Amino acid sequence: GAGITACVGENEIHKFSESIMEGHAYFLRNFRVSKQTRKFNVVPSKYTIFFTPWTIVEEIPTEVSGNLPLYIFNFVDFEDLEERAKHPKGLIDVIGQLTVVHPLVQGNSLNGPSIRENVELRDL
């Protein structure tokens, strides 16, 4: 359930741009790890992974990676929002209160079968 930011430099982007796709899981080797130095971070982690020319990316088979979450959310307690605004520890994408989570809905889209879950937020 934890996440970490990964950066691919301009010199390595050509090597990894077509081999890494959203929704897939990968095993990484030979990367560099440094302390996170950015003031605002998308993922609340103290570290960042940096791809190098020697980084190896291997896709993990679906039967092994099936239990991994596709997305990781970092919800903030409603009462903590004011303090987070004063002392930011990362970016907040949506400010609202989650009030209802509806059941999963199966349907079809232009890309084939899809599953979605609607939620309701109370706007502040």
Side-chain angles (χ1 to χ4, degrees):
I4 187 168
T5 301
C7 292
V8 180
E10 188 176 338
N11 294 336
E12 286 78 37
I13 196 74
H14 65 279
K15 178 179 177 182
F16 300 107
S17 63
E18 294 184 15
S19 61
I20 298 176
M21 297 183 338
E22 182 179 2
H24 295 247
Y26 299 93
F27 179 76
L28 303 176
R29 290 186 292 175
N30 303 336
F31 53 87
R32 191 170 51 89
V33 178
S34 294
K35 282 202 172 231
Q36 180 63 265
T37 57
R38 296 178 184 178
K39 182 175 181 181
F40 296 106
N41 303 307
V42 177
V43 178
S45 174
K46 294 180 181 182
Y47 301 98
T48 300
I49 290 175
F50 291 91
F51 284 60
T52 72
W54 304 277
T55 299
I56 297 170
V57 176
E58 296 174 2
E59 187 168 0
I60 298 173
T62 307
E63 56 271 6
V64 176
S65 66
N67 293 330
L68 296 174
L70 285 178
Y71 304 99
I72 298 172
F73 299 98
N74 298 300
F75 291 107
V76 175
D77 287 334
F78 204 67
E79 296 79 26
D80 296 337
L81 284 176
E82 187 173 345
E83 185 65 23
R84 287 285 298 269
K86 292 178 187 174
H87 307 286
K89 297 179 182 174
L91 300 174
I92 299 174
D93 289 332
V94 176
I95 297 180
Q97 185 176 27
L98 182 64
T99 57
V100 178
V101 178
H102 294 281
L104 291 175
V105 176
Q106 294 184 356
N108 288 310
S109 68
L110 294 175
N111 297 327
S114 66
I115 298 175
R116 73 174 189 269
E117 185 170 35
N118 290 326
V119 298
E120 293 181 25
L121 300 174
R122 182 172 66 97
D123 189 4
L124 300 178

